[in-house]
């Protein structure tokens, strides 16, 4: 499959990342407003979790739909993807 092909999961991943982007902007505003560090750290943790979930979804979708054609290249790519998880 070509690198530019959109998978069925991509719209959901885009939505998740856009929500995380908005959340990140609110964290920046919290910093500028000098909100308590513990509150900010909690919000940063939420953004990290959202981005990690999006990454995991993207990688799993790629494994399900783009790998499996056999050969050494699949194994090399699977090893590279495993390092990202």
């Amino acid at each position: 499959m070509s690198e530019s092909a959109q998978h069925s999961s991509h719209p959901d991943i885009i939505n998740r990342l856009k929500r995380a982007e908005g959340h990140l902007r609110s964290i920046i505003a919290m910093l500028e407003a000098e909100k308590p560090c513990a509150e900010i750290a909690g919000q940063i943790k939420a953004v990290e979790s959202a981005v990690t979930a999006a990454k995991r979804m993207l990688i799993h979708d790629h494994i399900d739909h783009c790998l499996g054609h056999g050969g050494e290249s699949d194994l090399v790519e699977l090893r590279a993807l495993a390092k990202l998880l």
Side-chain angles (χ1 to χ4, degrees):
M1 180 172 271
S2 120
E3 289 293 323
S4 65
Q6 185 173 20
H7 299 211
S8 61
S9 66
H10 286 187
D12 185 40
I13 293 168
I14 290 167
N15 287 336
R16 288 171 181 256
L17 292 173
K18 284 182 178 181
R19 280 194 302 273
E21 177 185 32
H23 204 81
L24 190 55
R25 290 178 198 275
S26 70
I27 293 169
I28 293 168
M30 290 174 73
L31 283 163
E32 292 170 342
E34 299 180 3
K35 297 289 183 181
C37 292
E39 286 181 32
I40 296 168
Q43 296 303 310
I44 290 172
K45 175 70 174 158
V47 170
E48 287 175 331
S49 296
V51 171
T52 297
K55 176 185 72 173
R56 189 173 292 123
M57 179 184 279
L58 179 73
I59 291 171
H60 286 179
D61 187 61
H62 182 72
I63 289 169
D64 290 344
H65 296 98
C66 297
L67 297 182
H69 304 292
E72 184 67 24
S73 64
D74 273 2
L75 185 57
V76 169
E77 188 171 359
L78 189 57
R79 285 181 180 146
L81 290 170
K83 289 178 183 178
L84 296 172
L85 290 172

